[in-house]
Amino acid sequence: MKDEPKKELTSETQNITGHSRRDILKLGGFATLGALFGSTYSVPVYASTKISSNNKSYDEPLDIVFAVYNGGTLLDFAGPSEIFHRLPNTTVRYASLHGGTVNLEFGVEYGNTERLTDIMKTDLIMVPGGSDLREAMSQEYLSQIRRLATGARHITSVCNGSLALAAAGVLKGKRSACHWAFVNKLAEYGAIPVEERFVEDDDGRFMSGGGVTAGIDFALRVAEKLKGTSNAELTQLVIEYDPAPPFNSGNPRSAPPEVLAMINKKLPGATQGLARVPGVK
């Protein structure tokens, strides 16, 4: 008897979009992946057509505004941006006080932002954190955040961006996450500090992520709530978010004593959640 030929799983197995790997290679590799899964300029077609939902609200248009500023941290909004851009029927915008280019942490320039004053309303506003919050804590910036938050269905932040929301008076009596080094500063603005990677209040009207990398977890949780579990899981797969950190030192609860001593020297008050950055009194 002859052995049955084995199936070529590596080349013909259908992926979640219904296209084989061979098809993708024929059509241009990574360029095709961009077309299939969406990019800044296109709706992720397969996320919206292949995945059905019993909840019609998942198909409603979603407008998201990242309120960026000079001194902000790129990864705080780059991670969530990667996820939000891939959700069906979702528009992602970037706005700053004066529009144009903002100068982020480490000299990174991020350009072509809209002016906050030109945005009349948004479904979801997101305030990222930063190493310098002087602009983010200015009355000019806070007044725009307060204005947009009033009409937004969802008010969100990543890292110490929640301090700006709190300073704007938006988080009074609300539970919120923050970077572990600054989380207890929230209480000084009337918010309720919560040392978790993702926090929500008022059935998701307020959603926040902890420090920097928590922005990806945060965004996936937001995606699940607003666009359904399947769309969130598909996006996680597309970006291959499968973390396996090489060290167990990402939080004071797990970091070794010698590392904690180093951070306390570098950022006094950090392990008590009371570290300060420029702009925060």
Side-chain angles (χ1 to χ4, degrees):
M1 294 179 63
K2 293 184 178 180
D3 293 332
E4 289 293 324
K6 294 182 180 179
K7 293 181 179 180
E8 293 293 329
L9 295 177
T10 57
S11 62
E12 292 291 66
T13 300
Q14 298 290 305
N15 64 20
I16 53 177
T17 67
H19 289 257
S20 70
R21 293 186 182 182
R22 179 173 295 175
D23 289 337
I24 290 173
L25 290 173
K26 284 181 180 178
L27 294 172
F30 287 111
T32 303
L33 284 174
L36 292 176
F37 294 124
S39 67
T40 303
Y41 304 104
S42 62
V43 174
V45 175
Y46 287 92
S48 58
T49 60
K50 291 292 184 180
I51 294 176
S52 61
S53 169
N54 293 325
N55 189 337
K56 292 183 180 179
S57 68
Y58 291 162
D59 297 323
E60 292 179 357
L62 177 64
D63 184 76
I64 295 174
V65 169
F66 288 99
V68 298
Y69 51 87
N70 292 305
T73 297
L74 176 62
L75 187 55
D76 279 10
F77 67 92
S81 172
E82 184 75 21
I83 291 163
F84 293 155
H85 271 296
R86 299 176 185 278
L87 298 177
N89 210 8
T90 298
T91 301
V92 180
R93 305 162 74 183
Y94 308 87
S96 62
L97 271 179
H98 306 295
T101 299
V102 292
N103 296 307
L104 303 175
E105 186 180 21
F106 306 124
V108 175
E109 293 186 348
Y110 192 84
N112 200 31
T113 68
E114 299 178 58
R115 290 193 307 173
L116 282 167
T117 53
D118 291 338
I119 296 177
M120 295 299 102
K121 63 179 181 178
T122 184
D123 297 317
L124 185 151
I125 183 171
M126 195 284 235
V127 178
S131 60
D132 186 339
L133 296 184
R134 281 175 290 189
E135 183 171 284
M137 300 295 270
S138 69
Q139 287 306 311
E140 188 179 6
Y141 180 88
L142 294 179
S143 65
Q144 293 302 319
I145 297 303
R146 195 179 301 115
R147 176 182 64 83
L148 289 171
T150 299
R153 289 192 286 129
H154 303 281
I155 300 164
T156 73
S157 63
V158 167
C159 197
N160 58 14
S162 58
L163 290 176
L165 284 177
V170 173
L171 297 183
K172 287 183 179 178
K174 305 301 179 184
R175 302 169 71 252
S176 180
C178 189
H179 188 287
W180 56 263
F182 313 98
V183 64
N184 289 327
K185 296 290 292 183
L186 284 169
E188 298 178 17
Y189 298 97
I192 302 171
V194 181
E195 294 186 51
E196 294 179 9
R197 199 161 171 83
F198 175 81
V199 176
E200 68 173 289
D201 204 339
D202 284 4
D203 193 29
R205 179 155 195 255
F206 299 88
M207 292 181 280
S208 51
V212 191
T213 61
I216 298 177
D217 296 39
F218 150 85
L220 287 169
R221 296 288 292 273
V222 172
E224 178 185 33
K225 192 164 193 73
L226 304 186
K227 293 295 182 178
T229 302
S230 295
N231 281 319
E233 289 182 332
L234 173 60
T235 302
Q236 180 178 351
L237 179 58
V238 170
I239 68 171
E240 196 178 355
Y241 182 52
D242 189 23
F247 308 109
N248 190 25
S249 61
N251 189 280
R253 293 188 293 270
S254 58
E258 60 272 21
V259 176
L260 291 177
M262 292 167 64
I263 197 68
N264 276 325
K265 185 176 180 180
K266 186 178 181 65
L267 279 176
T271 53
Q272 288 78 47
L274 294 170
R276 296 186 178 185
V277 290
V280 180
K281 297 179 180 179

